[in-house]
């Protein structure tokens, strides 16, 4: 019984830490993508794809357009049609 309780406690601690790390990463991406997409014509789409690219690459180029050389992973991601995925 003590083993099961200890195992559940350890599992809860690991999951809690994992969730906290994920949320911290998301707030980084959210703030960077908000700046990146601030002048976009279709903001919801821009924020969606910027968030996907940020989570994968852990960076977002500065400014609202261009500067993709600052983040090669972000620059090189392509969609299924071979066009740039990241705004």
């Amino acid at each position: 019984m003590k083993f099961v309780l200890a195992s559940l406690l350890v599992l809860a601690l690991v999951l809690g830490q994992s969730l906290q790390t994920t949320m911290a990463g998301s707030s980084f991406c959210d703030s960077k993508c908000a700046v990146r997409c601030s002048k976009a014509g279709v903001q919801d789409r821009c924020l969606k794809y910027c968030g996907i690219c940020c989570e994968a690459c852990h960076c977002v180029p500065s400014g609202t357009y261009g500067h993709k050389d600052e983040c090669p992973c972000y620059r090189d991601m392509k969609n299924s049609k071979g066009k740039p995925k990241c705004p």
Side-chain angles (χ1 to χ4, degrees), residues 2-24:
K2 288 182 182 181
F3 178 74
V4 172
L5 185 59
S7 297
L8 288 174
L9 180 62
V10 169
L11 180 64
L13 289 172
V14 170
L15 288 175
Q17 184 63 32
S18 171
L19 180 62
Q20 188 176 28
T21 302
T22 302
M23 289 176 67

Side-chain angles (χ1 to χ4, degrees), residues 7-8 10 14 17 26-27 29-30 37 39-41 44 47 53-54 56-57 66-67 69 72 78 85 87:
S7 297
L8 288 174
V10 169
V14 170
Q17 184 63 32
S26 294
S27 65
C29 289
D30 290 347
C37 296
K39 294 184 179 178
D44 58 336
L47 290 169
C53 295
C54 178
C57 298
H67 305 287
D69 289 334
K78 305 287 185 208
K85 180 174 194 147

Side-chain angles (χ1 to χ4, degrees), residues 1 8 16 19-20 26 30-32 35 42-43 47 60 70:
M1 182 66 176
L8 288 174
L19 180 62
Q20 188 176 28
S26 294
D30 290 347
S31 64
K32 295 289 186 181
V35 171
V42 185
Q43 277 204 340
L47 290 169
V60 175
E70 294 175 2

Side-chain angles (χ1 to χ4, degrees), residues 41-79:
V42 185
Q43 277 204 340
D44 58 336
R45 190 177 343 172
C46 182
L47 290 169
K48 175 185 175 183
Y49 288 108
C50 181
I52 291 169
C53 295
C54 178
E55 290 292 328
C57 298
H58 305 293
C59 65
V60 175
S62 62
T64 57
Y65 184 79
H67 305 287
K68 288 188 177 181
D69 289 334
E70 294 175 2
C71 186
C73 171
Y74 190 97
R75 175 194 65 210
D76 297 337
M77 287 185 79
K78 305 287 185 208
N79 64 17

